[in-house]
């Protein structure tokens, strides 16, 4: 027995497990043991066995009492068992083949997956003002006291807030080593994190924690200029410096006879009437600075400088940074001929409002540089699940110029240029349905095919939205950017409706953009809104924190914060991420109307009433215009702010519905038999055509 057992164990490996072989029913030595029979059958049936010759001579025919069916089915030579075995074998093979083909079919019909920068909104953190949890030890502050400047430990402390919001992508304004002339956009070491923010230890920890939560981190990348404190500039501006020769061409130097011999009329962005040229007595030359004099422009025609920048990108990607917001790209190259920029009105002083920046902005060559970075980011995007995202910052009045930063098919650039159409919209004349519709269509119509849009309403360079247009329209704007196709971006505090702080005492102010950069308002307690406990914040907390803060809004189901959360979760729906977008006619004077639809799912009608006057309630009647597509009724599934007459779950009558002033609502409806985007007269847009397959429960190309 023991040798038989050993045999079964040896040769039947893979066919049956040793322990499942049944014990013999009799112990008599003359009886043939089932195990022995088993092995013979195996060999005679042609199964692989190294000992077939010694065993095949044993004659064992007929059924054997006590043998369970499973064993017979496995090894018996009897016809009925052979058949059953073959059929079972066939079924198994067929099932495997079917499954393989199904997987292949699903892969073939599935559209490309959307990536994190498409599925999550991008939340902009201004680290100095987000949360102060730490201070550099050498400040020697007493226990419990902090320096009043937000830091990366503060961001780490608040990571659960992003989970609560449903945001997965964080963009951080510059945290590099910097003298802070331009709040971090003047960088003195591109590879170091400023001690104020916690240094590199804090950054390593932040990257790790963000990734552990399945989130992504996007850094600011500032290629146009460095700080004048950067060692490159220190060397470049001093002919006696030991590394002068290495760095002398890192910046834009132009000779002059003396300090008054200014090369041309180019003006700096920040000092409106001030020349962009600053005299350097040591070199007896001018250097160019598109921004503050403390931010000398790098010489991006110098290939060594370009390689330095590539190396900086590599450095951060190797650290695990997921993407970059590329700063001030329009300013990267200037015309070498140094001609004056054309003046708009020669009777008026030359300042940035009165010139055409033909030779100083978006100058030819910038796109090659951006495309080169995109290619570099692609080199770091090859591992599964890793993609290095790029958004570009360029303000222009010209949509084509802006959209050029998408690049071309052959030379792609950013994943999207940041969209400033809403930020630059005139609060007095353009925050209405007609202008908003025009702006949205302007982007969608001009965007290169197959590319992805983005929308944003506030940032660190512009007045906060509620201060520009009021809270009602700020809510409307949030509804709009969250339900349009593309990625919405928002600025810390947008989600609670933070406003500009226009009460900054002169001795505490440090930049014209301070009002929109004040500390995050976490709660209404204490003196500093929860930004820090025992400190003097670097900018004063806006005193409206008592009413406008995260904690209170958590508790209020109708708050701005709760509205943002609802919108963010709504935006996870396929129809918003992948569906058609069709702009409709403006309704009832001032109501923006658009449809999102995805064949196979119910459709959405988004209605936003931009009229904020007391008499701004509008009665919408859409049946007449769109009777081929719209049913008689739908259901209200979202309301930007509660209002007596409108609530979630209410039936929406397409033939007559009262929409209150400054409200955004969403209506779900089942379409008539015609799909909206198929009606030739409608202007609809889609990224990749997809349909929802109810049977398979998947989205497929169609
Ligand atoms: C970008 C930044 C702005 C900064 C400027 C110069 O426009 O958004 O804050 O001052 O570049 O770096
Ligand atoms: Mg430049």
């Amino acid at each position: 027995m023991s040798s038989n057992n050993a045999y079964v164990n040896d040769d039947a490996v893979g066919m049956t497990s040793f322990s499942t072989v049944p014990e013999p029913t009799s112990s008599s030595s003359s009886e043939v043991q089932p195990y022995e029979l088993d092995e013979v059958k195996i060999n005679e049936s042609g199964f692989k066995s190294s000992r077939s010759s010694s065993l095949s001579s044993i004659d064992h025919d007929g059924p054997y009492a006590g043998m369970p069916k499973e064993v017979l089915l496995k090894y018996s030579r009897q016809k009925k068992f052979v058949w059953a075995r073959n059929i079972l074998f066939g079924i198994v093979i067929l099932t495997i083949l079917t499954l393989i083909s199904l997987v292949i079919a699903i892969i073939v019909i599935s559209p490309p997956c959307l990536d994190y920068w498409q599925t999550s909104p991008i939340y902009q953190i201004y680290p100095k003002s987000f949360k102060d949890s730490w201070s550099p030890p050498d400040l020697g502050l007493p226990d419990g006291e902090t320096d009043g400047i937000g830091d990366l430990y503060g961001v780490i402390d608040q990571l659960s807030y992003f989970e609560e919001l449903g945001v997965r992508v964080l963009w951080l304004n510059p945290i590099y080593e910097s003298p802070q002339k331009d709040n971090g956009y003047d960088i003195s070491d591109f590879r170091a994190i400023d001690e104020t923010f916690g240094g590199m230890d804090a950054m390593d920890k932040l990257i790790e924690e963000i990734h552990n939560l399945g989130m992504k981190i996007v850094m600011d990348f500032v290629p146009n200029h460095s700080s004048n404190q950067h060692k490159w500039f220190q060397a470049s501006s001093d002919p006696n410096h030991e590394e002068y020769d290495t760095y002398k061409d890192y910046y834009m130097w132009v000779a002059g006879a003396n300090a008054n011999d200014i090369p041309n009329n180019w003006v700096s962005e920040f000092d409106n009437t001030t020349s962009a040229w600053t005299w350097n007595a040591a070199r007896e030359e001018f250097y160019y600075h598109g921004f503050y004099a403390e931010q000398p422009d790098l010489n991006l025609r110098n290939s060594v400088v370009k390689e330095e920048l590539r190396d900086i990108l590599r450095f951060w990607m190797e650290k695990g940074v997921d993407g970059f917001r590329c700063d001030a790209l329009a300013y990267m190259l200037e015309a070498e001929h140094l001609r004056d920029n054309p003046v708009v009105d020669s009777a008026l002083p030359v300042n940035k409002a009165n010139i055409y920046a033909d030779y100083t902005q978006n100058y030819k060559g910038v796109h090659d540089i951006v495309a080169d970075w995109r290619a570099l980011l692609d080199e770091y995007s090859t591992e599964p699940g890793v993609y290095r995202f790029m958004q570009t910052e360029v303000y222009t009045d010209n949509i084509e110029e802006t959209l050029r930063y998408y690049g071309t098919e052959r030379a792609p650039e950013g994943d999207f240029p940041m969209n400033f159409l809403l930020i630059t919209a005139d609060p007095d004349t353009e925050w209405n349905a007609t202008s908003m519709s025009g702006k949205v269509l302007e982007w969608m119509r001009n965007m290169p095919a197959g590319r992805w849009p983005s929308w944003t309403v506030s940032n660190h360079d512009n007045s906060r939205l509620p201060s520009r247009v009021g809270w009602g329209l700020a809510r409307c704007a949030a509804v709009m950017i969250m339900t349009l196709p593309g990625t919405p971006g928002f600025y810390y505090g947008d989600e609670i409706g933070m406003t500009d702080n226009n009460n900054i005492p002169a001795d505490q102010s440090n930049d014209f953009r301070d009002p929109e950069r004040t500390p995050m308002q976490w709660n209404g307690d204490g003196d500093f809104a929860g930004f820090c406990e025992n400190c003097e914040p670097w900018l004063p907390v806006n005193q409206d924190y008592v009413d406008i803060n995260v904690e209170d809004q958590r508790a209020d189901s109708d708050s701005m914060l709760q509205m943002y959360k609802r919108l963010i979760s709504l935006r996870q729906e396929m129809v918003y991420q992948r569906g058609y977008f069709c702009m409709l006619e403006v309704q009832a004077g001032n109501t923006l109307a658009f449809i999102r639809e995805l064949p196979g799912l119910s459709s959405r009608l988004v209605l936003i009433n931009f009229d904020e006057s007391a008499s701004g309630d509008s009665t919408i009647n859409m049946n007449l215009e769109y009777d081929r597509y719209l049913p008689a009724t739908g259901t209200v599934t979202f309301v930007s702010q509660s209002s007596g007459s409108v609530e979630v779950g209410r039936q929406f009558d397409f033939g007559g519905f009262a929409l209150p002033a400054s409200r955004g609502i969403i209506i779900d409806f089942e379409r008539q038999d015609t799909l909206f985007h198929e009606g030739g007269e409608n202007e609809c847009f889609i990224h990749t055509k997809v349909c929802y397959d109810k049977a398979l429960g998947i989205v497929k190309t169609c």
Side-chain angles (χ1 to χ4, degrees):
M1 272 310 295
S2 67
S3 70
N4 282 333
N5 273 336
Y7 175 48
V8 170
N9 198 17
D10 272 349
D11 274 9
V13 169
M15 289 187 275
T16 184
S17 98
F18 179 65
S19 60
T20 61
V21 177
E23 285 298 310
T25 49
S26 156
S27 60
S28 150
S29 63
S30 64
E31 272 184 62
V32 179
Q33 300 300 315
Y35 302 102
E36 292 166 347
L37 169 77
D38 239 11
E39 304 318 320
V40 174
K41 293 301 177 195
I42 290 168
N43 291 313
E44 287 176 350
S45 311
F47 282 83
K48 181 182 162 201
S49 167
S50 57
R51 304 185 194 179
S52 56
S53 58
S54 62
L55 287 158
S56 60
S57 58
I58 308 168
D59 182 24
H60 300 304
D61 265 351
Y64 288 81
M67 284 207 57
K69 255 212 191 93
E70 315 80 78
V71 175
L72 288 169
L73 192 57
K74 268 185 193 149
Y75 308 122
S76 170
R77 205 172 47 171
Q78 275 185 24
K79 258 202 182 131
K80 65 175 181 189
F81 289 112
V82 172
W83 267 102
R85 216 159 46 215
N86 287 346
I87 288 172
L88 275 179
F89 181 70
I91 291 176
V92 168
I93 295 294
L94 254 176
T95 315
I96 292 173
L97 286 180
T98 314
L99 281 177
I100 292 176
S101 353
L102 203 70
V103 169
I104 293 176
I106 288 180
I107 292 173
V108 169
I109 62 172
S110 291
C113 289
L114 297 180
D115 216 338
Y116 62 88
W117 53 274
Q118 297 167 302
T119 55
S120 168
I122 298 177
Y123 188 104
Q124 179 187 353
I125 295 177
Y126 201 72
K128 275 184 110 164
S129 291
F130 198 61
K131 171 89 181 152
D132 176 22
S133 294
W134 184 80
S135 308
D138 40 332
L139 288 183
L141 294 175
D143 254 10
E145 204 173 301
T146 49
D147 61 358
I149 302 176
D151 44 71
L152 301 186
Y153 290 110
V155 178
I156 293 171
D157 285 349
Q158 300 299 71
L159 285 179
S160 61
Y161 180 57
F162 303 110
E163 293 194 288
E164 175 187 343
L165 285 175
V167 164
R168 284 183 54 223
V169 183
L170 307 180
W171 154 38
L172 273 67
N173 283 100
I175 46 181
Y176 308 100
E177 193 185 285
S178 160
Q180 301 288 322
K181 168 68 190 174
D182 184 11
N183 287 303
Y185 281 97
D186 49 323
I187 298 168
S188 50
D189 184 344
F190 290 96
R191 292 182 184 78
I193 300 292
D194 205 283
E195 267 306 287
T196 324
F197 295 118
M200 194 59 93
D201 286 350
M203 184 60 175
D204 287 338
K205 186 155 186 260
L206 177 65
I207 294 176
E208 194 186 330
E209 301 229 348
I210 284 184
H211 286 167
N212 285 345
L213 292 169
M215 291 166 44
K216 305 287 178 182
I217 175 168
V218 173
M219 276 182 111
D220 233 293
F221 173 56
V222 186
N224 179 63
H225 45 265
S226 74
S227 160
N228 60 351
Q229 303 298 308
H230 196 293
K231 70 167 195 219
W232 298 341
F233 190 77
Q234 301 283 295
S236 191
S237 57
D238 176 7
N240 295 321
H241 195 284
E242 55 182 15
E243 291 189 284
Y244 176 72
D245 282 338
T246 310
Y247 295 109
K248 64 181 191 323
D249 295 327
Y250 268 45
Y251 296 86
M252 311 267 305
W253 294 102
V254 170
N258 56 55
N260 298 321
D261 186 23
I262 298 172
N264 57 30
N265 74 349
W266 297 355
V267 288
S268 131
E269 262 316 294
F270 289 159
D271 306 306
N272 212 3
T273 49
T274 311
S275 172
W277 297 99
T278 290
W279 176 252
N280 175 266
R283 274 183 76 143
E284 297 193 333
E285 284 178 320
F286 291 93
Y287 67 88
Y288 177 77
H289 48 89
F291 297 92
Y292 289 120
E294 291 84 349
Q295 295 167 292
D297 267 45
L298 287 163
N299 176 8
L300 284 160
R301 295 187 196 280
N302 180 342
S303 56
V304 182
V305 173
K306 282 200 270 189
E307 199 43 44
E308 291 268 17
L309 292 172
R310 290 167 59 90
D311 228 48
I312 290 162
L313 287 170
R314 285 190 197 101
F315 176 85
W316 291 107
M317 289 193 281
E318 274 155 27
K319 280 246 164 228
V321 167
D322 298 288
F324 301 94
R325 174 267 192 190
C326 301
D327 178 73
L329 297 187
Y331 300 83
M332 286 198 296
L333 294 175
E334 296 76 22
E336 287 168 295
H337 54 58
L338 296 183
R339 286 193 188 109
D340 276 0
N341 268 325
V343 175
V344 181
D345 183 346
S346 54
L348 296 174
V350 174
N351 59 35
K352 74 173 188 196
N354 191 29
I355 52 144
Y356 297 107
D358 289 5
Y359 302 135
T360 48
Q361 285 186 42
N362 299 298
Y363 198 70
K364 58 175 180 272
V366 289
H367 293 284
D368 294 338
I369 300 178
V370 187
D372 177 59
W373 293 333
R374 177 66 261 171
L376 179 66
L377 265 55
D378 285 346
E379 284 172 27
Y380 283 79
S381 304
T382 52
E383 274 172 49
V386 176
Y387 181 76
R388 313 296 179 152
F389 159 74
M390 185 203 271
Q391 59 179 345
T392 53
E393 187 223 23
V394 171
Y395 288 86
T396 78
D397 295 335
N398 176 333
I399 190 75
E400 280 166 28
E401 194 144 56
T402 301
L403 299 180
R404 228 166 264 154
Y405 286 84
Y406 275 113
T408 65
E409 217 166 302
R410 277 166 186 269
E413 299 178 33
D415 292 294
F416 45 72
M418 300 175 86
N419 178 342
F420 298 122
L421 292 178
L422 305 179
I423 284 186
T424 54
D426 184 330
D428 296 327
T429 59
E430 295 189 309
W431 276 85
N432 54 61
T434 307
S435 296
M436 287 298 142
S437 165
K439 285 177 188 298
V440 170
L441 288 174
E442 188 180 8
W443 193 280
M444 298 306 292
R445 283 175 185 155
N446 292 294
M447 184 175 69
R451 300 310 299 267
W452 189 263
S454 89
W455 311 94
T456 184
V457 291
S458 290
N459 65 26
H460 63 293
D461 292 326
N462 293 280
S463 161
R464 285 182 176 273
L465 189 60
S467 298
R468 273 182 279 145
V469 301
W471 281 294
L473 292 194
R475 285 191 185 227
C476 288
V479 177
M480 183 167 90
I481 67 170
M482 227 73 97
T483 54
L484 282 174
T487 302
F490 51 99
Y491 182 48
Y492 82 99
D494 278 359
E495 71 278 21
I496 53 171
M498 269 174 67
T499 60
D500 292 345
N501 182 356
N502 291 313
N503 300 309
I504 298 177
D507 62 344
Q508 268 189 281
S509 91
N510 65 95
D511 192 284
F512 62 100
R513 293 157 292 183
D514 286 347
E516 61 261 20
R517 297 176 175 179
T518 56
M520 177 66 174
Q521 294 161 204
W522 294 104
N523 58 48
D525 316 328
D527 293 334
F528 309 118
F531 166 69
C532 56
E533 299 312 324
N534 184 8
C535 75
E536 165 127 23
W538 74 287
L539 283 178
V541 174
N542 190 327
Q543 289 308 298
D544 64 11
Y545 77 96
V546 194
D547 300 314
I548 300 174
N549 63 70
V550 173
E551 197 174 279
D552 287 357
Q553 294 198 15
R554 260 191 199 122
D556 172 2
S557 64
D558 203 26
S559 64
M560 183 86 102
L561 179 67
Q562 298 295 0
M563 181 200 75
Y564 261 81
K565 285 198 220 172
R566 290 203 304 277
L567 285 170
I568 293 169
S569 99
L570 208 67
R571 202 187 155 271
Q572 290 308 307
E573 292 177 11
M574 262 326 151
V575 68
Y576 295 111
Q577 296 200 347
R578 290 193 178 266
Y580 279 88
F581 160 71
C582 306
M583 186 65 94
L584 308 187
E585 293 296 310
V586 167
Q587 300 291 311
N590 210 353
T591 296
L592 183 74
F594 56 84
I595 281 179
R596 302 303 310 273
E597 77 174 1
L598 195 151
L601 294 175
S602 62
S603 302
R604 310 282 187 271
L605 169 68
V606 180
L607 288 178
I608 302 170
N609 185 353
F610 279 90
D611 193 331
E612 19 162 27
S613 65
S615 58
D617 297 12
S618 302
T619 298
I620 313 277
N621 180 346
M622 307 185 76
N623 268 160
L624 292 177
E625 239 171 317
Y626 301 107
D627 60 348
R628 284 175 59 209
Y629 317 101
L630 301 178
T633 60
T635 310
V636 176
T637 52
F638 171 88
V639 175
S640 64
Q641 193 168 10
S642 70
S643 157
S645 61
V646 183
E647 56 191 357
V648 169
R650 221 192 100 171
Q651 180 172 300
F652 178 90
D653 183 352
F654 282 91
F657 187 89
L659 182 60
S662 60
R663 291 290 191 287
I665 68 170
I666 301 176
I667 296 111
D668 284 26
F669 64 96
E670 297 300 331
R671 62 184 172 86
Q672 303 275 70
D673 19 277
T674 318
L675 280 164
F676 205 90
H677 71 268
E678 283 168 1
E681 72 269 35
N682 301 310
E683 186 160 18
C684 297
F685 303 86
I686 193 152
H687 177 258
T688 311
K689 281 186 190 167
V690 292
C691 300
Y692 182 73
D693 187 310
K694 281 200 182 101
L696 293 174
I698 57 162
V699 164
K700 58 177 192 191
T701 45
C702 56

